[in-house]
C-alpha cells in the first residue's frame, strides 16, 4: 500500500508521477482516436468507390437488358428470318385441331418394317471388307416420305 501511495507523492521535476502517467495515457488515447478516424475515412472512401462501381455495373446491366429486349423483338426476328433464311410465317390453314389429329396420323406414310434375317452361328471369321464396302453410304439427294421407296 505504501508503494501505491508513493506514486501519488513522488515528483519528477515538479510534476507528480501519477499526473505524468495520466498525461501519457491521454496522449496515447488521442493518438489512437486520430488513427481510428483516419482508418474510418479510408474505409468510407473505399465504400464510396464500391458504391460508384455498383452503380456503374447496374447501369451497364440496365443497358444490356434494353439491348436484349430490342434484339428479342418478334418483329425483328421475323424480318431477319425472311431476309436471311427465306422463312415465312405459317398460314392458319396449317394449324391442326384435336379433331383432325386422327386423320393426319392416318395420312402420314408409315415406314415399312422388314424382318431381320435369322441369326446363325458363325464359326469362321467374316471376310475382310474392301475400301469400297467400308466407305460411308451417301444419302439420297431428295427423299420424301412418299418417294422414299423410289430412292431405295
Amino acid at each position: 500500500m505504501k508503494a501505491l501511495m508513493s506514486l501519488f507523492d513522488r515528483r519528477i521535476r515538479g510534476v507528480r508521477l501519477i499526473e505524468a502517467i495520466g498525461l501519457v495515457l491521454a496522449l496515447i488515447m488521442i493518438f489512437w482516436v486520430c488513427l481510428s478516424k483516419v482508418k474510418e475515412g479510408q474505409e468510407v472512401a473505399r465504400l464510396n468507390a464500391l458504391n460508384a462501381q455498383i452503380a456503374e455495373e447496374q447501369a451497364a446491366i440496365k443497358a444490356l437488358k434494353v439491348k436484349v429486349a430490342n434484339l428479342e423483338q418478334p418483329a425483328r426476328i421475323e424480318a431477319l428470318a425472311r431476309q436471311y433464311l427465306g422463312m415465312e410465317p405459317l398460314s392458319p390453314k396449317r394449324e391442326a385441331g384435336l379433331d383432325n389429329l386422327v386423320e393426319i396420323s392416318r395420312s402420314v406414310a408409315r415406314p415399312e418394317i422388314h424382318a431381320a434375317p435369322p441369326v446363325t452361328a458363325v464359326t469362321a471369321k467374316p471376310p475382310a471388307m474392301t475400301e469400297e464396302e467400308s466407305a460411308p453410304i451417301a444419302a439420297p439427294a431428295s427423299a420424301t416420305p412418299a418417294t422414299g421407296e423410289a430412292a431405295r
Side-chain angles (χ1 to χ4, degrees):
M1 185 76 171
K2 285 185 181 185
L4 186 61
M5 289 308 284
S6 70
L7 284 176
F8 290 108
D9 293 333
R10 187 179 239 182
R11 290 183 179 266
I12 300 175
R13 297 188 183 195
V15 179
R16 285 191 289 178
L17 185 60
I18 195 73
E19 291 173 352
I21 292 173
L23 181 64
V24 169
L25 288 177
L27 289 174
I28 290 173
M29 288 188 340
I30 290 171
F31 178 74
W32 185 262
V33 168
C34 289
L35 186 63
S36 297
K37 287 290 187 178
V38 168
K39 284 187 178 182
E40 178 188 359
Q42 291 172 346
E43 291 297 318
V44 167
R46 188 176 71 84
L47 286 176
N48 288 339
L50 286 175
N51 285 336
Q53 184 181 0
I54 288 171
E56 289 173 8
E57 296 294 332
Q58 287 176 341
I61 288 171
K62 187 175 181 180
L64 288 174
K65 283 183 179 180
V66 168
K67 190 173 183 177
V68 165
N70 184 30
L71 292 174
E72 288 181 343
Q73 289 179 349
R76 179 186 170 278
I77 294 172
E78 186 176 317
L80 289 174
R82 279 189 183 131
Q83 181 181 1
Y84 293 111
L85 302 176
M87 299 174 84
E88 293 291 328
L90 294 177
S91 66
K93 295 177 183 177
R94 294 195 46 130
E95 292 183 14
L98 290 176
D99 300 334
N100 301 347
L101 290 179
V102 174
E103 296 170 16
I104 293 171
S105 67
R106 287 182 184 157
S107 67
V108 175
R110 292 194 172 94
E112 293 181 21
I113 300 174
H114 298 285
V119 179
T120 59
V122 178
T123 56
K125 288 185 177 180
M129 294 178 68
T130 64
E131 285 184 33
E132 198 173 286
E133 293 173 339
S134 64
I137 299 172
S142 62
T144 60
T147 61
E149 292 182 21
R152 289 186 193 166

